[in-house]
Amino acid sequence: MRGRLASIGAEESLLSEGWNLILTEPGACAVPHDIPLSAQLIPAPVPGTVAAALEKAGLFDRENPEPLNTRDAWYLCRLFDAEPGDAILRFEGLATLCHVFLNGQEILFSESMFTAHEIPVTLSGGDELALCFRALGPRLSEPGPRARWRQQMITPAGLKNFRTTLLGHMPGWCPDIHAVGPWRPISMVRRHPVSIDNVSIRAVLEESGVGRLSVSLHSNAENPAMLLRCAGMEQPFQKVGDSHYSAILKLSDIEPWWPHTHGAARLYELTLVSDGVEYPLGRTGFRRIDVDRGADGDDFALLVNGERIFCRGAVWTTADIARLPGGRVDYEPFLRLAAGAGMNMIRIGGTMAYETPDFFALCDELGLLVWQDFMFANFDYPRNDKAFLGHVHAEVEEFLHGVQAAPSLAVLCGGSEIHQQAAMLGLPAEFWSGPVTDEIIPAVVARMRPDVPYVPNSPYGGAMPFSPNAGIAHYYGVGAYMLPIADARRADVRFASESLAFAHVPQQRTLQRHLDVPVHSPLWKARVPRDRGVSWDYEDVRDFYLQLLYGFDPAHLRREDPERYLDLSRAVTGEVIEETFAEWRRKGSACNGALVWTLQDLLAGPGWGVIDSTGEPKPVWYAMRRAFRPVQAVFTDEGTNGLDVHVVNETDAALDVELEVVCLRGGKQQVVSGSRAFKLAARDTERLACTALFDAFFDTTYAFRFGPPTHDASVARLRSLADGAILAESFHFPCGRGKALHDAGIEASFTRDGDDWFVDLRTDRLAQSVHIDVEGYRADDDWFHLAPGAMRRVKLRALSGAENDIPPAGEIRSLGSLHRVAIGPGGRQFRAGGRLLHLAFP
């Protein structure tokens, strides 16, 4: 069901064609009749934005945006195909101050981007619909309720008085593209004489394992015969009030819905049968979510169906900063990559915009938990403005009704960094909160989604709201504050709803196509995110860790060898993330989850996103995929206690595994090794000291320093005893990664198995951050370390438009090597999978 007022069985037609956009000076036209006949008409998609319409017409450049909130924007449409008679006009989202006219008469004034409207009208045929989006810019300087503090991140301060997205108003964070226009669908609804509406759905998994499905609705039919059907069972509706009916269905053999890292995301179809006619109500899943705050009350851990879940993922921005789209086709590429990277949680932050039910339907299918902030951030919002608080109440109700059946909705949060902003300005605790996040929102949540935990703000808890050792943190000790990776443990992070922000460098092909400039170019720097008012940016942050992990001077590299600088930059942020999550997922860690800032970029370049704005994974995405494996093995450096390996099994089945650890000198010679076979219990983590595998002392961490280092790398490999498959690998560099860069001799070849292409790789010594660059294909793994010994096979997935029958061509390179391995047509022949392929190795 879409929206609280949607009617079952009604005829609905989208008003998406025939719209034209006209821009006028603020206040120049009071009504549509005032628009000059000479005004320029610009075809405009609906749903859509002014930015999208202008961009399509070649009149707007998202890379150098002009202000869009300084003029009035008129959308005009003639309803030629609409039959005369009574109808309802439905507006699902109007950004932001919008007057709606029908045949020159005003029928609606909307003041919130986040509320929908249904307006009864009588059509006469050939009616004209006009929407005027008044310039918000001049209104933002008007005085409003006095704030108790001023924040620096968002401009201008007057935004706190209007219900609109903060996207486009955060200098250094995102381009200044303002959201203006009918950003959500407009439709015309004709209700039947007998209608069913206000459908409410609640699916709960009880502790006994029984699924409880409750559905209520309104029907104006006389004594309707209605059934609720789900999972092969039916339950008649009972009349519980005037035109109000409800049904409760108990399902004893229900399969629970799980995040995909811990089980199957099982969904069930819901069907309403009314007087013999079937109406689909969508799908839902049955799960139970609780919060464990620990014995001291400082913990924050999600329990799904009674199991403690380590949440990992990223913060969503938007599928397109100019269009602000809300359809499945726009969401799906990003969300599938999120699930493919092993993420099990996505957070929609309070600085963004609400996404549509299609977003949640995809997360339901993919087994992705959703942490949903309401759209409040940093400001001291009005506390006594009745109209403003009324908008808040309406938007919260409408959002929750739209996602009422979504099992993926896991946490509801009042907003972002409101408490933190006040606390960092030195204000006492009584100033941090307000009625919006402490009274209005939790009351609506308790009534409409009592199955979803609510937290007033993010971050939240502890002596200060931003203290990472209690409650919910925004953790940037590793990252923006440029502390060593050891701080990830020292900070005692309990749950980081955002963390680990870096200027992640995209793949070279993305840069060549979308930002083909040198790294010292002002155009490059313009794409590097920064916090307002500070003397550094997030490239400086990345450079700090490049020097820390590899021992190179970033400024020198950038001047003398920019290509190598970019490759090291691509590798280093993934290395930091892998090592940090190893600390957070180790046995004994108090951390229950962490989300990376952010999932996707808004423009092509070195942004925060782990996926670039074109939808292509950046090198760091592959590192996250390795860090987030449900079955995992990670090293932790325990100093004089040696090197430990932590083996994690989040699945619901015990595994027979073998753990092998090898220490290498010169990246090649084994100086010590050991292995152990054991059964790894379901939902369990084991810690093993490497010396226990070696049965003797060995200075794995080079902590004792009795002479020169005896090795430069250690490799842990977790293997399944059932089929011999490598489940996980981990690497440790006791003297730093820079000391273990080798000119590895990599051999590579293509293999075809059925319709799939693979790259087979071998190396004579350790190769760091091996990159597979094949035109038209995306490797299943990339920028990974390759240990000497067994062959490594990596699957290639054809990108859209690639011809699978043509043998791929490309090159392989690694960080420490002076050579590139070119593979492609021409050169020596070999036979594989029944096909004769040609490859060349220079």
Side-chain angles (χ1 to χ4, degrees):
M1 298 298 296
R2 188 178 69 244
R4 169 174 284 282
L5 303 178
S7 298
I8 293 175
E11 295 178 9
E12 179 177 358
S13 55
L14 289 174
L15 303 180
S16 56
E17 303 293 334
W19 290 90
N20 286 297
L21 167 67
I22 297 173
L23 298 176
T24 64
E25 293 303 309
C29 303
V31 295
H33 182 73
D34 295 337
I35 300 173
L37 295 177
S38 59
Q40 181 184 10
L41 294 176
I42 302 167
V46 174
T49 62
V50 171
L54 294 178
E55 185 175 56
K56 189 174 182 179
L59 301 173
F60 182 78
D61 180 3
R62 68 174 64 199
E63 297 181 3
N64 298 283
E66 296 181 0
L68 297 175
N69 61 0
T70 57
R71 290 191 286 176
D72 291 348
W74 290 84
Y75 278 74
L76 307 177
C77 182
R78 182 73 71 172
L79 307 180
F80 290 111
D81 297 329
E83 296 288 335
D86 292 339
I88 293 172
L89 293 177
R90 176 182 294 144
F91 305 91
E92 296 193 20
L94 303 169
T96 289
L97 301 178
C98 182
H99 299 265
V100 179
F101 301 87
L102 182 65
N103 299 325
Q105 299 298 312
E106 185 168 346
I107 60 172
L108 170 67
F109 175 54
S110 175
E111 294 183 280
S112 172
M113 176 178 174
F114 303 129
T115 53
H117 305 275
E118 289 200 346
I119 308 299
V121 296
T122 300
L123 301 178
S124 55
D127 304 82
E128 183 181 64
L129 187 59
L131 286 66
C132 178
F133 295 89
R134 295 297 181 188
L136 184 61
R139 298 286 306 274
L140 296 177
S141 60
E142 295 177 358
R146 183 178 176 85
R148 294 171 294 177
W149 68 80
R150 291 183 178 274
Q151 56 76 48
Q152 295 295 317
M153 188 180 83
I154 305 159
T155 61
L159 281 164
K160 69 182 176 62
N161 302 317
F162 296 90
R163 296 308 301 136
T164 192
T165 180
L166 301 179
L167 288 168
H169 298 279
M170 295 174 284
W173 280 40
C174 66
D176 297 337
I177 300 175
H178 303 135
V180 182
W183 72 303
R184 293 292 182 250
I186 299 173
S187 57
M188 184 172 61
V189 180
R190 295 186 188 267
R191 284 180 171 156
H192 294 164
V194 176
S195 66
I196 299 170
D197 54 26
N198 285 342
V199 179
S200 295
I201 301 168
R202 184 174 298 170
V204 176
L205 183 68
E206 298 177 348
E207 289 191 25
S208 63
V210 172
R212 188 173 187 271
L213 177 64
S214 305
V215 176
S216 65
L217 51 83
H218 283 84
S219 173
N220 61 2
E222 288 289 337
N223 300 316
M226 295 188 295
L227 291 173
L228 174 63
R229 184 180 295 159
C230 179
M233 297 187 67
E234 295 179 345
Q235 179 66 34
F237 279 83
Q238 302 294 324
K239 190 171 185 178
V240 293
D242 186 22
S243 301
H244 186 203
Y245 300 82
S246 70
I248 298 175
L249 188 58
K250 290 194 173 183
L251 306 164
S252 57
D253 296 325
I254 209 74
E255 296 178 37
W257 182 94
W258 288 96
H260 75 99
T261 50
H262 288 69
R266 184 71 166 90
L267 296 172
Y268 292 87
E269 300 283 347
L270 308 183
T271 304
L272 168 68
V273 184
S274 179
D275 293 327
V277 180
E278 295 186 357
Y279 300 100
L281 299 181
R283 296 194 293 176
T284 193
F286 296 83
R287 90 293 180 263
R288 186 174 71 258
I289 297 182
D290 301 291
V291 173
D292 182 357
R293 299 191 182 274
D296 59 2
D298 287 339
D299 219 352
F300 187 89
L302 286 189
L303 305 181
V304 178
N305 306 329
E307 293 290 343
R308 198 179 191 92
I309 303 294
F310 184 88
C311 300
R312 64 275 198 171
V315 179
W316 176 267
T317 53
T318 177
D320 188 305
I321 183 62
R323 295 189 298 120
L324 297 181
R328 181 184 178 100
V329 68
D330 303 291
Y331 296 138
E332 191 163 7
F334 293 108
L335 292 177
R336 287 202 177 277
L337 284 173
M343 301 182 196
N344 60 18
M345 176 174 275
I346 297 294
R347 175 179 168 222
I348 302 175
T351 53
M352 312 303 175
Y354 297 106
E355 300 299 347
T356 67
D358 282 349
F359 181 96
F360 290 84
L362 266 167
C363 291
D364 293 343
E365 294 173 25
L366 296 171
L368 290 168
L369 300 165
V370 180
W371 173 304
Q372 174 72 57
D373 284 7
F374 291 94
M375 295 301 118
F376 301 92
N378 294 76
F379 285 120
D380 179 25
Y381 287 94
R383 301 179 300 283
N384 300 308
D385 185 328
K386 291 184 179 179
F388 180 90
L389 298 180
H391 292 317
V392 172
H393 195 279
E395 79 180 55
V396 173
E397 276 202 339
E398 288 177 19
F399 168 75
L400 291 177
H401 191 82
V403 298
Q404 60 183 321
S408 57
L409 187 61
V411 178
L412 289 164
C413 177
S416 174
E417 295 191 350
I418 298 172
H419 290 205
Q420 171 177 298
Q421 186 73 73
M424 282 192 163
L425 292 172
L427 296 174
E430 59 265 25
F431 281 75
W432 302 351
S433 59
V436 169
T437 59
D438 283 29
E439 298 171 20
I440 295 174
I441 297 177
V444 179
V445 169
R447 173 167 52 85
M448 298 187 67
R449 284 303 301 256
D451 60 310
V452 181
Y454 176 79
V455 294
N457 211 240
S458 177
Y460 182 78
M464 289 284 112
F466 44 82
S467 300
N469 64 351
I472 300 156
H474 290 184
Y475 174 74
Y476 294 109
V478 176
Y481 307 143
M482 292 182 273
L483 296 175
I485 295 175
D487 188 71
R489 183 185 300 196
R490 179 175 59 208
D492 194 24
V493 176
R494 302 301 180 92
F495 193 105
S497 55
E498 62 184 65
S499 64
L500 300 174
F502 299 95
H504 299 294
V505 179
Q507 302 278 30
Q508 187 60 28
R509 289 188 186 276
T510 297
L511 294 182
Q512 288 170 344
R513 292 166 181 162
H514 300 281
L515 190 64
D516 193 12
V517 298
V519 292
H520 58 266
S521 166
L523 292 176
W524 175 273
K525 269 297 185 184
R527 300 293 174 87
V528 176
R530 63 192 58 80
D531 288 328
R532 189 167 177 238
V534 300
S535 61
W536 49 270
D537 61 28
Y538 283 83
E539 186 157 67
D540 297 325
V541 173
R542 188 189 69 228
D543 284 351
F544 170 84
Y545 289 98
L546 191 157
Q547 186 158 26
L548 181 70
L549 270 60
Y550 292 95
F552 296 117
D553 177 5
H556 176 81
L557 275 176
R558 196 163 48 241
R559 287 194 309 270
E560 304 296 331
D561 195 347
E563 185 177 2
R564 193 179 191 203
Y565 168 75
L566 284 176
D567 274 350
L568 283 164
S569 297
R570 292 182 177 102
V572 69
T573 55
E575 293 292 291
V576 172
I577 284 177
E578 282 198 74
E579 195 166 328
T580 302
F581 272 92
E583 287 289 349
W584 287 340
R585 295 187 71 189
R586 63 182 169 83
K587 189 177 182 68
S589 169
C591 185
N592 301 299
L595 310 179
V596 170
W597 183 269
T598 62
L599 182 66
Q600 70 271 67
D601 280 344
L602 302 176
L603 293 176
W608 281 316
V610 301
I611 303 170
D612 71 38
S613 61
T614 72
E616 184 66 17
K618 293 183 182 179
V620 67
W621 178 89
Y622 295 93
M624 293 174 70
R625 191 168 189 246
R626 294 186 290 270
F628 293 169
R629 288 178 286 222
V631 179
Q632 178 70 304
V634 295
F635 279 125
T636 59
D637 189 329
E638 305 298 331
T640 54
N641 288 317
L643 197 60
D644 283 353
V645 185
H646 304 258
V647 184
V648 180
N649 178 18
E650 292 180 333
T651 72
D652 58 2
L655 301 172
D656 291 314
V657 296
E658 179 185 50
L659 176 66
E660 177 188 26
V661 175
V662 176
C663 297
L664 301 173
R665 178 187 297 137
K668 183 175 184 179
Q669 181 183 352
Q670 292 190 17
V671 293
V672 67
S673 65
S675 63
R676 177 174 297 177
F678 58 97
K679 184 178 287 291
L680 182 60
R683 317 280 200 214
D684 197 15
T685 304
E686 294 286 349
R687 178 174 58 198
L688 297 92
C690 287
T691 50
L693 301 180
F694 303 154
D695 290 327
F697 168 72
F698 183 77
D699 191 6
T700 49
T701 59
Y702 193 49
F704 295 94
R705 302 182 184 273
F706 297 152
T710 55
H711 69 298
D712 55 18
S714 297
V715 184
R717 187 174 290 120
L718 186 67
R719 181 181 292 105
S720 168
L721 291 176
D723 57 9
I726 302 298
L727 302 174
E729 282 185 321
S730 185
F731 295 81
H732 178 258
F733 304 93
C735 301
R737 289 160 177 78
K739 299 291 186 182
L741 291 173
H742 304 291
D743 189 10
I746 298 176
E747 296 180 357
S749 61
F750 288 128
T751 299
R752 188 165 191 174
D753 186 354
D755 292 331
D756 297 321
W757 286 99
F758 298 83
V759 177
D760 291 340
L761 300 167
R762 291 182 188 271
T763 181
D764 64 342
R765 67 196 67 215
L766 177 66
Q768 286 192 55
S769 300
V770 175
H771 174 41
I772 301 172
D773 183 7
V774 179
E775 180 71 33
Y777 290 84
R778 179 188 298 152
D780 263 6
D781 200 6
D782 202 4
W783 297 90
F784 55 86
H785 302 324
L786 183 64
M791 181 266 290
R792 171 78 180 273
R793 174 165 287 181
V794 180
K795 186 174 182 177
L796 298 176
R797 297 188 184 273
L799 299 176
S800 177
E803 297 185 34
N804 205 39
D805 288 335
I806 298 177
E811 67 176 27
I812 311 295
R813 67 180 189 268
S814 64
L815 276 189
S817 181
L818 301 175
H819 303 92
R820 300 185 178 199
V821 181
I823 49 178
R828 72 178 181 88
Q829 300 179 342
F830 79 105
R831 191 173 297 277
R835 280 180 171 267
L836 189 64
L837 307 180
H838 303 275
L839 294 96
F841 302 89

